[in-house]
């Protein structure tokens, strides 16, 4: 069975940037493309950034048991589809899930063998600066994401691996080291 890596942490912490760097360094990894009811941001392609679903479609797939985990975040639904995970895991392809904390907890219950990593900001202020600077959210959405981030930061001690994203290069090295060590132990 291949390894499953769950990478979580508050919105704005730089999970996306770190994960892109991780894929450059370890090309054997594949990303599980999540489903969401959030509208696409400019440039986000359906099936690549996310599987974009209507609320009705999402709820139908919940009822059909298609999700490994799903959660509501900042007014939208997000979830990991079984179809993104199962075939890869059985074929021996290591998979990365980039999900929020409630989803990470559900995966911990269902797949305790998954490797769970938490990406932490050096401070709350850096999160706010990054969320505002990214320009993808309205001021109200930024506030909402920051409130959620406070709750998510409290979950940090639940995670066996914590990477602080202060200097990007250092955080990448740390993340790569954890993933490589886990892959080597599975081999
Ligand atoms: P965004 O709207 O910024 O793309 O994502 C918002 C939050 O949802 C981020 O913390 C992201 O990691 C999380 N997220 C993305 N996909 C999933 C998923 O499949 N399940 C869960 N639980 N969270 C997800």
């Amino acid at each position: 069975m291949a390894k499953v890596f769950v990478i979580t942490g508050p919105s704005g912490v730089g999970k996306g940037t770190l994960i892109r760097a991780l894929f450059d360094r370890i090309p054997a990894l594949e990303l599980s493309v999540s489903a969401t009811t959030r509208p696409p941001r400019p440039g986000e392609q359906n099936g690549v950034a996310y599987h974009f679903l209507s609320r009705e479609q999402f709820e139908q797939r919940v009822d059909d048991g298609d999700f490994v985990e799903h959660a509501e975040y900042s007014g939208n639904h997000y979830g990991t589809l079984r179809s993104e995970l199962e075939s890869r895991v059985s074929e021996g392809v290591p998979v990365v899930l980039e999900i929020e904390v409630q989803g990470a907890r559900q995966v911990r219950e269902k797949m305790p063998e998954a490797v769970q990593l938490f990406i932490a900001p050096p401070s709350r202020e850096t999160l706010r600066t990054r969320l505002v600077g990214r320009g993808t959210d309205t001021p109200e959405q930024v506030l909402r994401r920051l409130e959620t981030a406070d709750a998510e930061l409290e979950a940090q001690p639940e995670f066996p691996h914590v990477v602080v994203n202060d200097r990007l290069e250092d955080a990448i090295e740390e993340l790569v080291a954890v993933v490589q060590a886990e892959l080597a132990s599975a081999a």
Side-chain angles (χ1 to χ4, degrees), residues 2-9 15 19 22-23 29-32 34 68-69 80 85 89 94-119 158-163 175 178-179 182:
K3 287 265 176 187
V4 173
F5 294 92
V6 175
I7 301 185
T8 193
K15 295 193 293 275
I19 288 173
L22 180 65
F23 281 98
L29 296 172
E30 291 191 7
L31 184 70
S32 159
S34 295
V68 176
E69 61 74 33
T80 303
L85 264 192
V89 170
V95 193
V96 173
L97 310 185
E98 194 245 278
I99 63 180
E100 51 69 75
V101 165
Q102 303 168 74
R105 289 188 177 124
Q106 294 172 44
V107 176
R108 188 190 305 146
E109 290 295 312
K110 290 184 188 163
M111 306 173 62
E113 70 286 5
V115 181
Q116 298 240 353
L117 295 107
F118 188 95
I119 312 293
E158 295 172 27
F159 291 85
H161 303 286
V162 176
V163 173
L175 183 61
V178 171
V179 172
E182 290 288 345

Side-chain angles (χ1 to χ4, degrees), residues 7 9-11 15 34-35 38 41 44 50 69-71 73 78-80 98-104 134 145 152:
I7 301 185
S11 183
K15 295 193 293 275
S34 295
R38 161 169 87 55
R41 294 180 182 140
E44 283 186 336
Y50 281 104
E69 61 74 33
H70 62 93
Y73 178 95
Y78 294 82
T80 303
E98 194 245 278
I99 63 180
E100 51 69 75
V101 165
Q102 303 168 74
R134 172 162 100 168
R145 281 175 182 253
E152 293 196 304

